[in-house]
């Protein structure tokens, strides 16, 4: 059946209009969030790190440094190779009943990727929780490894502090956040990320957002410092309208550093010197690729950053969200951590890590599956 030129252009126009309406519907979904406006934007405009309409890293940083590898990497992320970038078998796990934990014990429980639960000096802290099957606005991108989604919001106790490092989908998940809404007492995030929480109907009184090098004092027993990281932000089209960060979590007995996402930089040594070391460094590991070498660390750089921070213990979260073998992040950080001044902790997903126990043993669990 033929179609006239006039009808072809009419059909093309209708198709374009439908796609446009679909696009408008997509960006207006609540899960997209909202960029800062009004008095929230006015606060951002005062930041020395906000230049020419967007936040800037402290040093020159390119999100993409190798386009050829980048496009190959995107192909692997969209169509991962089972047994290579994705394990053939389920990841081994050990689910902890968080509500049954002794509130007097200092501990950590990893939920996979960058999501973890901290209990420090009786304070319950939840960091970058993602309990959805996909850390993405689209159902086929960033799928969780099989068997790793063993926790839900129902498993969480009441949370004293929710910490969000930046607004990328794999750190700020709308479905997870909304399911936790009634359990969260305070939210701490970098400048501008609060706009998403305001848009989602959270009580403004519980939201604390600040610029780099600012301290948020939530009580006499808890101070959280917003610190630099070398990364970027954005949930759809508006990149770098909100800030990204690392954190120092300070209580009477513990000093804990959380890196968030970011490339290696001199700030690690600066932070380590300022805080005179940390009891624990929770570092990213697993998203490295030569294409984005300035915004994510190689495992060997993670080891060096941990030394710079003068940390006693290193814990690395993440899985392979990059086109390398899924076991590679664990094997390389294990090798890079030999004969270092810190101790590497490699717990199972969901296993309780007791931070005051020096004799707790962890196996190379990633070698037990393919």
């Amino acid at each position: 059946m033929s179609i006239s030129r006039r009808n072809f252009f009419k059909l093309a126009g209708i198709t374009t209009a439908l796609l446009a309406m679909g696009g408008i519907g997509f960006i207006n979904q609540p899960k997209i969030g909202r960029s800062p406006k009004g008095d929230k934007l006015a606060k951002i405009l005062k930041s020395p790190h906000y230049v020419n309409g967007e936040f800037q890293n402290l040093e020159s940083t390119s999100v993409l440094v190798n386009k050829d590898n980048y496009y190959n990497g995107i192909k692997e992320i969209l169509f991962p190779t089972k047994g290579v970038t994705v394990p053939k078998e389920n990841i081994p796990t050990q689910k902890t009943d968080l509500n049954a934990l002794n509130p007097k014990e200092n501990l950590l429980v990893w939920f996979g990727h960058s999501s973890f639960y901290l209990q420090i000096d009786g304070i319950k802290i939840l960091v970058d929780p993602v309990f959805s099957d996909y850390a993405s606005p689209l159902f086929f991108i960033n799928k969780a490894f099989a068997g790793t989604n063993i926790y839900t919001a129902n498993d969480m106790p009441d949370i004293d502090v929710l910490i969000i490092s930046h607004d990328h989908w794999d750190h700020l998940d709308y479905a997870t956040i909304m399911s936790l809404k009634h359990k969260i007492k305070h939210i701490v995030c970098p400048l501008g990320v609060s706009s998403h929480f305001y848009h989602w109907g959270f009580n403004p009184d519980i939201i604390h957002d600040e610029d780099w090098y600012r301290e948020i004092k939530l009580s006499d027993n808890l101070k959280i410092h917003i610190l630099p990281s070398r990364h970027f932000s954005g949930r759809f089209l508006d990149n770098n309208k909100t800030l990204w960060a690392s954190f120092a979590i300070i209580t009477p007995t513990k000093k804990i550093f959380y890196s968030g996402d970011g490339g290696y930089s001199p700030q690690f040594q600066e932070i380590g010197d300022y805080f005179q070391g940390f009891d624990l460094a929770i570092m990213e590991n697993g998203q490295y690729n030569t294409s984005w070498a300035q915004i994510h660390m190689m495992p060997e750089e993670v080891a060096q950053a941990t030394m710079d921070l003068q940390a006693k213990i290193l814990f690395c979260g993440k899985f392979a969200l990059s086109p390398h073998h899924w076991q590679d992040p664990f094997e390389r950080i294990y090798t890079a951590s030999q004969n270092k001044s810190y101790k590497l902790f490699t717990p199972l997903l969901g296993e309780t890590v007791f931070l005051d126990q020096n004799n707790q043993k962890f196996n190379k669990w990633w070698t037990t599956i393919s």
Side-chain angles (χ1 to χ4, degrees):
M1 181 177 68
S2 62
I3 183 170
S4 69
R5 181 182 179 89
R6 179 178 179 182
N7 285 337
F8 172 82
F9 283 112
K10 183 177 181 181
L11 180 61
I14 293 171
T15 302
T16 301
L18 289 172
L19 289 172
M21 286 189 291
I24 292 171
F26 178 82
I27 64 175
N28 284 330
Q29 294 179 94
K31 65 182 179 181
I32 298 293
R34 178 169 292 173
S35 295
K37 302 181 186 302
D39 58 344
K40 309 301 180 296
L41 179 58
K43 182 179 179 180
I44 286 172
L45 292 174
K46 297 176 183 177
S47 169
H49 309 117
Y50 193 80
V51 181
N52 296 326
E54 63 179 41
F55 283 103
Q56 307 280 344
N57 284 293
L58 295 179
E59 56 194 284
S60 178
T61 300
S62 295
V63 171
L64 180 62
V65 296
N66 186 325
K67 290 185 179 179
D68 292 336
N69 283 352
Y70 172 76
Y71 292 120
N72 289 333
I74 291 298
K75 179 182 177 182
E76 282 287 358
I77 291 171
L78 293 176
F79 308 103
T81 305
K82 193 167 186 178
V84 180
T85 52
V86 176
K88 293 179 182 178
E89 306 166 64
N90 282 10
I91 295 289
T93 62
Q94 181 179 309
K95 188 171 181 179
T96 296
D97 183 350
L98 303 180
N99 289 288
L101 293 170
N102 182 347
K104 295 182 180 180
E105 289 189 298
N106 295 325
L107 53 85
L108 176 151
V109 179
W110 177 45
F111 303 138
H113 194 50
S114 297
S115 305
F116 58 91
Y117 171 82
L118 275 171
Q119 187 175 282
I120 306 295
D121 289 341
I123 303 164
K124 299 173 182 179
I125 301 172
L126 184 62
V127 179
D128 286 353
V130 176
F131 301 144
S132 297
D133 288 331
Y134 292 87
S136 160
L138 302 173
F139 72 89
F140 55 87
I141 298 177
N142 276 0
K143 187 179 188 302
F145 284 178
T148 61
N149 242 353
I150 63 173
Y151 284 94
T152 69
N154 290 333
D155 297 314
M156 299 298 112
D158 287 344
I159 301 300
D160 294 310
V161 187
L162 171 71
I163 294 177
I164 300 294
S165 63
H166 61 298
D167 67 3
H168 282 160
W169 294 87
D170 56 334
H171 293 257
L172 179 59
D173 178 61
Y174 172 74
T176 300
I177 293 300
M178 295 306 290
S179 63
L180 289 167
K181 190 174 183 179
H182 64 289
K183 295 187 175 185
I184 298 169
K185 297 178 183 178
H186 291 279
I187 298 169
V188 171
C189 56
L191 201 58
V193 176
S194 59
S195 293
H196 300 303
F197 290 98
Y198 295 132
H199 181 55
W200 295 335
F202 279 77
N203 180 356
D205 293 338
I206 73 168
I207 303 170
H208 314 268
D209 71 336
E210 278 296 348
D211 205 347
W212 290 336
Y213 301 111
R214 296 291 181 88
E215 174 192 294
I216 296 173
K217 184 177 180 180
L218 293 177
S219 70
D220 291 338
N221 293 329
L222 179 62
K223 299 176 183 177
I224 300 177
H225 296 257
I226 310 292
L227 301 169
S229 67
R230 192 181 183 191
H231 201 53
F232 69 110
S233 68
R235 292 178 69 76
F236 190 52
L237 297 177
D238 283 343
N239 286 334
N240 302 334
K241 302 301 182 184
T242 64
L243 192 57
W244 48 96
S246 62
F247 302 84
I249 303 167
I250 311 297
T251 72
T253 68
K254 295 292 180 185
K255 291 186 292 182
I256 297 173
F257 177 82
Y258 170 50
S259 69
D261 277 356
Y264 183 77
S265 75
Q267 276 70 53
F268 289 113
Q269 184 167 358
E270 173 191 290
I271 292 168
D273 290 343
Y274 180 84
F275 289 96
Q276 299 182 336
F278 290 91
D279 298 292
L280 170 68
I282 303 169
M283 307 292 282
E284 73 145 305
N285 182 40
Q287 299 192 111
Y288 52 84
N289 185 282
T290 55
S291 296
W292 45 81
Q294 295 183 359
I295 58 168
H296 287 290
M297 288 184 282
M298 298 291 180
E300 295 75 18
E301 290 177 314
V302 173
Q304 182 58 56
T306 305
M307 297 289 288
D308 294 346
L309 290 163
Q310 303 167 46
K312 298 175 183 176
I313 298 170
L314 166 62
F315 167 79
C316 289
K318 307 286 183 179
F319 286 123
L321 294 184
S322 184
H324 49 65
H325 198 289
W326 76 268
Q327 294 170 324
D328 197 53
F330 300 102
E331 198 59 45
R332 285 177 63 175
I333 194 60
Y334 184 87
T335 300
S337 296
Q338 299 305 302
N339 302 314
K340 293 293 194 295
S341 59
Y342 61 82
K343 184 176 182 180
L344 176 66
F345 280 8
T346 57
L348 292 171
L349 188 153
E351 181 179 3
T352 304
V353 178
F354 296 99
L355 300 179
D356 296 326
Q357 293 184 13
N358 295 324
N359 59 349
Q360 191 173 3
K361 303 294 184 182
F362 302 100
N363 297 322
K364 295 177 67 176
W365 59 264
W366 59 92
T367 65
T368 64
I369 61 172
S370 59

